[in-house]
Amino acid sequence: MARTAIIEAPGGPEQLVIVDREVGEPGPGQIRIRHHACGLNFIDVYQRSGLYPLQMPLALGMEAAGVVEAVGEGVTHLKVGDRAAYAAAPPGAYTEARVMNAAQVCPLPDGISFDEGAAMMLKGLTVQYLFRRTTPIAKGDTVLFHAAAGGVGLIACQWAKSEGIRLIGTAGTDEKCALALEHGADACINYRGGDWVAKVRELTGGRGVDVVMDAVGKDTFDGSLDSLRPLGMMISFGNASGPVPPFNLATLGAKGSLKITRPTLFTHIADHATCQQMARELFDKVLSGAVKIRIDQRFPLDRVADAHRALEARQTTGQTVLLP
């Protein structure tokens, strides 16, 4: 049996309860993993609230790190006793142990702790696909990154710095802006301090940025489009402030023949070999010291509802982990 955080109906953090669930044995292509730490992400909030509808009852959580306890037939990249970490669907990572498909579970290098592994997989692999797999971004290009002091944002700031990419961040307080600057952002705008679009234009000499990476959604979408140079790329990869309302496709033409995409991590990591390669690139960044995983909040699994409340209230910085 494993203590597991579940919801029986969509709603607020109060829906989260801890239950005992049977773990079982892995079948072909599966492993059983004993978690040492679990990651917290905004996608967990979307699933809990019902924004992303899923069948109930639902065990939440998309990433974790731990030790492989059993291996099913056909699994060759992992063995019993291996340290491992993952970001993977379906949800179910808020637990002490689980049986799951092995394809997206990655061997975790000894130089990376379980807490770091749990905190970095979903966010770090997201940064990898944003910078390496979505649109060409070259040294010297300028990226606008919203919520630059969040878990994904702090990794993005460091990743951009390591590759000579100019990153302009936004955040909601001067303290969060300072944190983004500390992690490699070239500039960071407090979007509560006035017309942030005008400040982006000022920082780019009126040209606009090459790429916008926007996981905030509704509150920043229009301004993100207005921050792009002609032929620029808008990457909308989240909805922290709510889903983007329908808009007229002709707007993209009127604003400079802009491009837009709405990717998800799970499309990028669906292929086993691609997922493992993406993880190796992420691990290399961390092991080299180019990217440091900052964990500012730790909650015991029993306090998972409090963790959700803090995340939704934008009271967190860096990464948050749950400890089974």
Side-chain angles (χ1 to χ4, degrees):
M1 304 296 287
R3 293 166 60 255
T4 304
I6 70 163
I7 58 172
E8 295 185 341
E14 69 280 357
Q15 294 290 343
L16 285 155
V17 296
I18 304 295
V19 299
D20 287 326
R21 279 191 160 188
E22 187 172 350
V23 180
E25 296 296 325
Q30 294 184 322
I31 62 161
R32 186 174 71 239
I33 184 168
R34 176 71 52 178
H35 291 157
H36 286 235
C38 315
L40 179 73
N41 297 281
F42 248 105
I43 191 173
D44 307 344
V45 173
Y46 303 154
Q47 293 172 351
R48 191 210 69 222
S49 69
L51 179 63
Y52 294 174
L54 292 167
Q55 187 174 350
M56 301 292 156
L58 175 67
L60 291 175
M62 306 299 292
E63 68 177 345
V67 175
V68 177
E69 286 190 334
V71 175
E73 181 184 352
V75 176
T76 59
H77 70 291
L78 294 165
K79 64 183 186 301
V80 173
D82 279 354
R83 305 170 78 252
Y86 66 87
Y94 290 0
T95 185
E96 293 175 324
R98 69 186 295 198
V99 168
M100 63 183 296
N101 291 334
Q104 280 69 47
V105 182
C106 305
L108 183 66
D110 289 339
I112 300 174
S113 72
F114 289 119
D115 282 14
E116 290 170 327
M120 70 188 280
M121 292 300 288
L122 192 144
K123 302 171 193 71
L125 291 173
T126 295
V127 171
Q128 196 278 347
Y129 86 68
L130 289 172
F131 281 90
R132 292 277 178 88
R133 294 176 54 82
T134 306
T135 191
I137 304 175
K139 183 177 181 180
D141 285 350
T142 301
V143 168
L144 174 64
F145 198 101
H146 291 295
V152 179
L154 292 184
I155 296 174
C157 289
Q158 297 174 83
W159 193 292
K161 187 77 169 180
S162 74
E163 300 199 343
I165 296 162
R166 184 188 185 201
L167 187 143
I168 300 172
T170 69
T173 67
D174 290 342
E175 292 76 15
K176 287 188 175 184
C177 283
L179 190 59
L181 293 170
E182 178 187 329
H183 282 74
D186 287 89
C188 192
I189 301 164
N190 183 341
Y191 61 79
R192 302 186 194 279
D195 186 348
W196 58 267
V197 177
K199 292 179 181 177
V200 171
R201 288 286 173 182
E202 181 182 342
L203 287 166
T204 58
R207 176 178 179 267
V209 300
D210 299 289
V211 179
V212 176
M213 299 176 179
D214 188 339
V216 175
K218 175 174 64 69
D219 290 353
T220 53
F221 183 77
D222 291 339
S224 291
L225 293 182
D226 289 336
S227 299
L228 283 165
R229 65 162 173 83
L231 303 177
M233 168 64 87
M234 166 71 166
I235 306 174
S236 176
F237 69 102
N239 320 282
S241 67
V244 175
F247 75 102
N248 187 341
L249 195 61
T251 300
L252 300 178
K255 290 182 181 292
S257 300
L258 304 179
K259 295 166 283 187
I260 187 166
T261 184
R262 196 352 180 148
T264 70
L265 171 64
F266 300 104
T267 307
H268 283 278
I269 64 173
D271 175 73
H272 167 70
T274 300
C275 176
Q276 299 296 321
Q277 177 58 35
M278 291 171 65
R280 285 192 291 271
E281 290 185 18
L282 172 60
F283 295 152
D284 286 346
K285 286 284 188 187
V286 174
L287 292 170
S288 73
V291 170
K292 294 180 172 60
I293 304 303
R294 178 179 177 133
I295 301 171
D296 286 344
Q297 299 81 212
R298 289 176 171 85
F299 292 84
L301 184 61
D302 290 344
R303 290 182 55 207
V304 61
D306 291 337
H308 272 236
R309 291 186 185 98
L311 183 63
E312 288 184 277
R314 302 190 184 184
Q315 294 172 346
T316 65
T317 55
Q319 282 84 1
T320 303
V321 294
L322 304 171
L323 302 175

